[in-house]
Amino acid sequence: MAVQTPAHSALGNLLSYASTVPMPPGTLVRVPLGRREVLGVVWACEERSGDEGTRELKAVAGALDALSPLAEGWRDLVAFAARYYQRSLGEVALAALPPQLRDLTSQQLARRLKRRATSASTPVDAGLSSQDSPRGAGQAQSGPGSPDLAAETDVAHAVEPSAEQAAALARFEAETGPFLLFGSTGSGKTEVYLRAVAALLARDHAAQALIMVPEINLTPQLEARVRDRFEARFGAGAVVSLHSGMTNPQRLASWLAAHAGQARIVLGTRMAVFASMPSLKLIVVDEEHDPSYKQQEGARYSARDLAVWRGQREGAKVILGSATPSLETWHHSRPADGEDPGGRYVRLAMPGRIGDGALPTVRGVDMNLQPPKTVLSGALLDAIGQRIARGEQSMVFLNRRGYAPVLACADCGWKSECPHCSAYRVFHKIDRTLRCHHCGFTERVPRACPACGNPDIAPVGRGTERLEEHLGELFAPVKRSDGSPVRIARIDADSTRKQGALAQQLAEVHSGEVDVLVGTQMIAKGHDFRRVTLVAAVNPDGALFSSDFRAPERLFSLLMQSAGRAGRDANYLATQGSTAEMWIQTHHGSHPLFQALKRHDYPAFAKQQLDERRVAGMPPFAFQALVRADARTQETAQDFLHAANAAADALPHAAQVMRYPAVPLAIQRVANVERAQMLVESASRVALQRFLADWQPLLHALRREPVGKGVIRWLVDVDPHAI
């Protein structure tokens, strides 16, 4: 039985319970655990031998037998994820299920399923959401496997595919994959996804497709497009969503529809990779490079990598799509070259934009030549002004929210440090607060310096809130063509905190009400702003010299994705007589990253980065894991890791694994908890996995020894995204 046991309890992956009747593997049951009754998943059902008969086992409290058992493929996925990412089987299995399902009794679940069956057998009321009233896939189609389904589904929705799209689709149909769809921003990757889904559903009346996106805020616009394409043919329940922004009842309804096969398409974020889909035949991972696919709490899995594994296990085709693929995916899709047999992925290239639209011209601004403390160069301000005059939109990107990163006193040197974290509290001018973005600790801005009483404390640095204010001041004298004032808007985690705020702000941008949009990475990817013709990156240099070897990769991706927001509608550009531009303000314009960006040359950038990583023995040419310890003192955390390191010397594969000394994290203290980590690395993935598996019992044992008494928690992060 897989149940979620307390962290570091070392109870083992599976627990045994007694049942008076046989239960097929995958059955959901309620079982006692300590003083609680919890949800569990039957992993195996065996008759007890005579020797075992004397051993007392707690009895299963009840089975949720109204629900069909979870399929073997799903259980294999969970088992692989638990094994590879060094977590307990029960933790992964239960985290993969909807939260509300864990609290339902057998009778409650049966009643819910009965209500769903009743609603599915009656016409769908237009006022109900798709989560409330899913319909079976077969109800809305003319017949199983209808040959004209793909064409009919696309009627009035899509024009003929471009030559590049058609070639990519032809190879997708002819080959097995996995596939990397390497298409420039605006090349029509989404249309390829949707046509691949349509063709699948035309061939197989029971088939299901999973479409994954990296972030919740990208889901609504893609969801609308998917629903528009498929619901007319399959009914309102054919498309369901799965992401953490949904309520628990909504998530349960979507999960049940997918599990029953009623939902033909599941659209979701990383959690959707664990959706129970018995007839899964296609997985799409859009923007596969995005770090959001790596879970950073609990079981630290990569949804992208699990999607590839699940596709291979269940015989489903997998498409990974990106204009800036992760270097691992790019390496895996390399063509054969001499003695190199090439990667195991098939690369499908779509370098052109739809409608012969040109990629934006990238212009660099050398900030070394600008007056001190210049925020926006005169040339950039003039270019934005020209866009405003023509009724076009500009987008200014700064990946730092708040008004200023820190508030400081010039007299005594006081800074707005967080008392609970090794970080500064950010100054938010709108509500006059100092807010820690790590632990959430918030206070009102003091009237004077808390240390010396100086009333003249000032913001240092610049965030999106301050940039928005600065742009408002600069363009206050300027009028739009209709005589109204220029509209500056900001989209970041602060401005979109309220329910529905993001949707409203995006609608205002799409309608043309906004002239200049300021924002963080939330606006840099995925959005299809048809009137944006200029994008500017204000201060991107920080990532160039980060200690994290992945920082340049992330920066290039972010800037190239940002550039892709400009000039997406070639007809609009032609009508305006305008061109698309990307402006980059930098002190390091000669850096290879910016030179490759000017040419929109991702392959050149990837080659340079991969060459460096090959020499340094870094991923994808090596495999890594982090062991982290959290404690009340840094000394306690590091002592635990030192002891773990010493204990690992005797392990069978220790000689094949490089272990680095324990060090504090970059932000070493969060919410009064000190954090330390140790990096382990190997040229062999198999050796690293075996080493970590052998190490786990030693780590559990250390936790119970004096050296582990002060440790709050420890964890293993396999294939970490940040070091």
Side-chain angles (χ1 to χ4, degrees):
M1 190 80 64
V3 299
Q4 189 159 3
T5 56
H8 308 312
S9 61
L11 286 177
N13 267 338
L14 296 173
L15 301 181
S16 296
Y17 289 88
S19 173
T20 57
V21 295
M23 292 185 179
T27 302
L28 293 177
V29 294
R30 300 203 64 81
V31 295
L33 182 66
R35 298 181 179 179
R36 300 177 298 139
E37 190 176 275
V38 299
L39 185 68
V41 183
V42 174
W43 226 253
C45 186
E46 302 173 352
E47 285 193 26
R48 301 174 71 188
S49 66
D51 294 338
E52 294 176 317
T54 58
R55 185 160 56 109
E56 284 295 330
L57 294 179
K58 291 183 178 180
V60 171
L64 278 65
D65 47 14
L67 199 67
S68 59
L70 293 158
E72 183 182 8
W74 184 90
R75 301 196 307 276
D76 286 349
L77 173 68
V78 167
F80 170 78
R83 185 171 63 251
Y84 185 83
Y85 293 107
Q86 303 295 314
R87 310 298 292 199
S88 74
L89 188 63
E91 177 190 14
V92 177
L94 272 296
L97 298 174
Q100 196 174 37
L101 190 60
R102 304 172 207 171
D103 300 325
L104 294 180
T105 66
S106 177
Q107 295 78 10
Q108 290 171 327
L109 179 62
R111 286 197 297 269
R112 185 164 300 221
L113 291 172
K114 185 177 181 180
R115 288 198 302 269
R116 289 178 57 78
T118 302
S119 65
S121 64
T122 58
V124 178
D125 187 284
L128 295 178
S129 70
S130 60
Q131 285 83 12
D132 292 326
S133 55
R135 287 197 301 193
Q139 288 178 260
Q141 59 187 38
S142 55
S146 175
D148 61 343
L149 178 59
E152 288 188 28
T153 302
D154 283 339
V155 170
H157 289 289
V159 296
E160 286 297 310
S162 68
E164 289 181 354
Q165 288 174 326
L169 284 164
R171 289 194 64 189
F172 172 76
E173 294 294 339
E175 302 179 47
T176 57
F179 300 89
L180 166 62
L181 184 58
F182 172 51
S184 65
T185 53
S187 62
K189 294 187 292 295
T190 302
E191 184 63 25
V192 172
Y193 305 152
L194 298 186
R195 286 180 177 271
V197 171
L200 168 69
L201 301 189
R203 289 192 303 270
D204 185 343
H205 74 278
Q208 294 175 297
L210 171 62
I211 303 176
M212 296 173 60
V213 295
E215 296 182 29
I216 293 170
N217 64 64
L218 299 182
T219 305
Q221 69 179 58
L222 180 58
E223 181 179 28
R225 188 168 173 184
V226 173
R227 290 188 186 283
D228 185 53
R229 183 70 65 92
F230 294 103
E231 281 192 340
R233 189 65 184 166
F234 291 104
V239 180
V240 299
S241 296
L242 270 178
H243 57 77
S244 60
M246 302 167 67
T247 65
N248 284 344
Q250 287 173 332
R251 282 172 63 178
L252 177 60
S254 292
W255 188 90
L256 290 172
H259 177 71
Q262 294 170 332
R264 307 295 303 282
I265 302 169
V266 173
L267 177 63
T269 50
R270 61 175 176 261
M271 68 165 61
V273 75
F274 288 110
S276 175
M277 303 176 68
S279 300
L280 181 64
K281 295 294 186 292
L282 172 62
I283 304 175
V284 173
V285 185
D286 191 26
E287 309 292 0
E288 65 84 29
H289 64 276
D290 199 289
S292 298
Y293 282 120
K294 180 66 187 288
Q295 170 78 11
Q296 294 297 345
E297 298 295 334
R300 300 190 169 206
Y301 62 87
S302 166
R304 176 199 65 203
D305 296 347
L306 287 181
V308 174
W309 192 93
R310 185 175 189 180
Q312 292 172 333
R313 164 61 181 83
E314 301 198 30
K317 287 193 173 183
V318 179
I319 307 176
L320 310 176
S322 178
T324 54
S326 67
L327 291 179
E328 286 84 356
T329 298
W330 185 254
H331 180 67
H332 291 325
S333 69
R334 69 192 185 282
D337 182 17
E339 295 183 0
D340 182 358
R344 57 194 177 94
Y345 297 175
V346 177
R347 188 182 298 173
L348 309 175
M350 297 199 310
R353 276 189 155 183
I354 291 296
D356 298 321
L359 290 167
T361 301
V362 178
R363 302 186 183 279
V365 178
D366 188 347
M367 296 304 288
N368 297 301
L369 304 179
Q370 299 297 315
K373 298 185 179 179
T374 296
V375 179
L376 298 168
S377 67
L380 174 56
L381 289 172
D382 181 62
I384 293 174
Q386 292 179 31
R387 262 63 182 184
I388 294 172
R390 293 198 297 264
E392 300 166 18
Q393 294 174 321
S394 300
M395 195 176 91
V396 183
F397 165 69
L398 175 63
N399 208 21
R400 180 183 289 150
R401 60 190 172 103
Y403 188 83
V406 62
L407 207 59
C409 173
D411 284 1
C412 71
W414 172 87
K415 293 182 175 64
S416 55
E417 294 179 347
C418 176
H420 310 297
C421 304
S422 303
Y424 294 114
R425 285 175 291 164
V426 175
F427 172 41
H428 291 261
K429 187 176 180 181
I430 287 181
D431 57 5
R432 301 291 299 174
T433 61
L434 294 174
R435 190 181 310 153
C436 178
H437 290 173
H438 298 279
C439 73
F441 178 69
T442 303
E443 283 186 330
R444 297 287 297 172
V445 173
R447 295 182 179 275
C449 173
C452 71
N454 174 26
D456 190 18
I457 51 177
V460 178
R462 195 171 299 271
T464 49
E465 191 181 317
R466 192 176 189 184
L467 182 59
E468 177 191 22
E469 179 184 88
H470 185 61
L471 282 164
E473 294 168 350
L474 292 172
F475 287 103
V478 180
K479 301 295 181 184
R480 305 172 76 178
S481 58
D482 60 2
S484 61
V486 171
R487 172 80 186 278
I488 315 289
R490 172 172 53 92
I491 294 182
D492 56 26
D494 297 316
S495 69
T496 58
R497 193 169 294 171
K498 293 182 180 179
Q499 183 76 21
L502 177 61
Q504 179 183 343
Q505 289 175 304
L506 290 176
E508 291 172 352
V509 177
H510 288 299
S511 67
E513 296 177 42
V514 174
D515 298 294
V516 182
L517 176 61
V518 179
T520 57
Q521 61 181 353
M522 286 181 67
I523 64 172
K525 49 194 175 183
H527 300 292
D528 193 17
F529 301 128
R530 313 303 290 183
R531 293 180 174 88
V532 170
T533 60
L534 181 149
V535 174
V538 174
N539 185 22
D541 290 348
L544 295 176
F545 309 103
S546 169
S547 59
D548 186 350
F549 72 91
R550 295 184 190 275
E553 176 187 1
R554 286 196 289 264
L555 177 61
F556 187 90
S557 172
L558 200 51
L559 292 177
M560 199 161 178
Q561 294 286 337
S562 299
R565 299 316 105 201
R568 296 178 70 86
D569 190 332
N571 292 331
Y572 178 74
L573 284 177
T575 302
Q576 294 291 109
S578 185
T579 57
E581 293 181 344
M582 169 70 170
W583 289 65
I584 299 175
Q585 295 192 158
T586 175
H587 289 87
H588 306 278
S590 61
H591 194 284
L593 184 150
F594 294 128
Q595 294 302 310
L597 190 67
K598 284 184 177 181
R599 303 188 303 269
H600 298 279
D601 195 348
Y602 173 82
F605 169 77
K607 182 181 184 305
Q608 177 258 333
Q609 286 288 302
L610 286 171
D611 287 345
E612 287 186 5
R613 292 193 187 182
R614 184 182 290 106
V615 172
M618 292 180 174
F621 307 103
F623 305 94
Q624 297 178 330
L626 283 174
V627 182
R628 201 179 94 186
D630 295 353
R632 290 302 176 191
T633 68
Q634 185 66 211
E635 182 183 17
T636 301
Q638 292 202 30
D639 284 348
F640 177 81
L641 294 178
H642 292 322
N645 195 5
D649 287 339
L651 294 178
H653 299 277
Q656 295 175 266
V657 177
M658 178 69 179
R659 287 165 279 149
Y660 293 88
V663 296
L665 269 71
I667 307 294
Q668 75 174 55
R669 181 167 52 94
V670 172
N672 294 321
V673 173
E674 293 283 341
R675 311 183 300 168
Q677 66 184 20
M678 180 170 60
L679 176 67
V680 295
E681 187 177 72
S682 177
S684 166
R685 189 195 297 272
V686 172
L688 179 61
Q689 281 290 314
R690 289 175 177 171
F691 172 83
L692 293 174
D694 292 340
W695 206 10
Q696 281 274 355
L698 301 183
L699 291 167
H700 280 294
L702 280 173
R703 183 73 165 77
R704 296 188 293 272
E705 293 181 7
V707 72
K709 291 300 182 183
V711 174
I712 298 171
R713 56 186 163 266
W714 61 266
L715 60 87
V716 177
D717 185 0
V718 181
D719 300 337
H721 272 217
I723 295 177

